[in-house]
Amino acid sequence: MEPISKLQEELKEYALTLGADIVGFCAFENAPSAYAPTLRHALSIGVKLSDAVLATIDNAPSFVYFQHYRTANALLDQIAFRLARRIEEYGFSALPIAASQSLGKENPYRGAVPHKTVAVKAGLGFVGKSGLFLSEKYGGKVRLATVLTDLPVESELPLLENGCGDCTACKNACPAGAIFGEKPTVDGERNFDPEKCSKYMKEHFQDIGRGSVCGICIKVCPKNKLR
Ligand code: SF4
Ligand code: SF4
């Protein structure tokens, strides 16, 4: 078998070929998901959202954004699926975690693993006051997915500190009052009320689509304009 570092490099190249825009690796002391208690290592992948699509959000969500969001999720799911297959071909286990996932009525706002936590640990960015993951390269204009594995990949990048400073643009702009404006912890703990966010969407924009896809907190974030 090839050295792990070579397999890690191959996986990164493969993910980029499949359409990922950012790729990172990390290791956890304990398995991050109860669904896979032996898988302590992870790949974090992200795809960038279109600037032109984000420009269609103007104090309200748009159909164009909703469809784009779903397409980005579908692409991520494909990439995670294929990466998991490739890792199995190497002789290891791998669990792809879908970009948008709910664990049913008991835990409707969480997936099998928090993608943001994985991406932060992989050194790809930090969690902003909005609760959004802000990537070093694209700010909040990314969607994420994860592959858990027992292939012993390791982080190549240092952890990034929260860079929101005194900004409260997302808190001020959120039409649902779902963002608290406090600094979240670096491990990706949520700092907004996902239920408020989702309820607002359902009450005001049911015709557009299910769930929290307003996107205003992404659009107003100055971390996006820097790039
Ligand atoms: S998606 Fe919209 S409603 Fe939800 S937190 Fe962001 S700005 Fe607020
Ligand atoms: S809008 Fe400002 S406070 Fe909110 S996540 Fe972006 S940088 Fe942080």
Side-chain angles (χ1 to χ4, degrees):
M1 189 179 69
E2 295 190 66
I4 299 301
S5 58
K6 180 91 171 27
L7 297 182
Q8 182 165 326
E9 200 47 43
E10 275 177 23
L11 285 171
K12 189 173 178 178
E13 285 303 314
Y14 186 42
L16 294 171
T17 306
L18 292 172
D21 292 302
I22 51 173
V23 185
F25 303 87
C26 64
F28 289 82
E29 209 167 299
N30 299 305
S33 175
Y35 285 88
T38 61
L39 307 186
R40 289 194 307 104
H41 300 262
L43 284 73
S44 175
I45 49 176
V47 298
K48 180 190 165 296
L49 298 170
S50 152
D51 294 308
V53 170
L54 287 173
T56 67
I57 300 169
D58 187 15
N59 293 323
S62 75
F63 282 104
V64 176
Y65 175 64
F66 177 63
Q67 282 142 11
H68 187 66
Y69 176 94
R70 294 183 75 170
T71 304
N73 286 349
L75 174 59
L76 280 165
D77 294 351
Q78 286 282 335
I79 298 170
F81 184 95
R82 285 164 192 256
L83 285 170
R85 289 279 296 272
R86 179 62 59 94
I87 292 169
E88 285 181 350
E89 283 165 20
Y90 292 158
F92 294 86
S93 292
L95 181 76
I97 312 284
S100 194
Q101 198 179 55
S102 147
L103 297 181
K105 283 187 187 154
E106 299 234 327
N107 214 341
Y109 304 110
R110 283 192 186 271
V113 76
H115 298 304
K116 288 183 284 190
T117 303
V118 178
V120 169
K121 268 193 90 71
L124 294 175
F126 64 91
V127 176
K129 292 178 186 174
S130 59
L132 288 170
F133 173 73
L134 302 179
S135 66
E136 171 74 352
K137 203 165 175 190
Y138 301 114
K141 299 184 288 189
V142 288
R143 295 282 307 150
L144 297 169
T146 300
V147 180
L148 296 178
T149 181
D150 55 5
L151 175 68
V153 293
E154 296 288 344
S155 180
E156 304 165 331
L157 303 167
L159 285 185
L160 288 168
E161 289 297 317
N162 180 289
C164 289
D166 295 332
C167 177
T168 54
C170 53
K171 179 187 175 196
N172 303 342
C174 174
I179 296 172
F180 308 146
E182 304 292 329
K183 224 169 158 182
T185 56
V186 76
D187 66 358
E189 190 178 307
R190 286 181 193 252
N191 195 36
F192 80 108
D193 185 336
E195 200 174 339
K196 256 188 176 176
C197 167
S198 184
K199 268 190 183 155
Y200 180 86
M201 284 299 300
K202 282 177 191 152
E203 279 165 20
H204 296 266
F205 303 106
Q206 210 166 24
D207 57 325
I208 288 192
R210 176 187 70 85
S212 19
V213 293
C214 151
I216 292 171
C217 47
I218 297 180
K219 187 172 176 191
V220 299
C221 180
K223 293 291 169 193
N224 298 333
K225 292 179 190 153
L226 294 175
R227 299 175 174 87

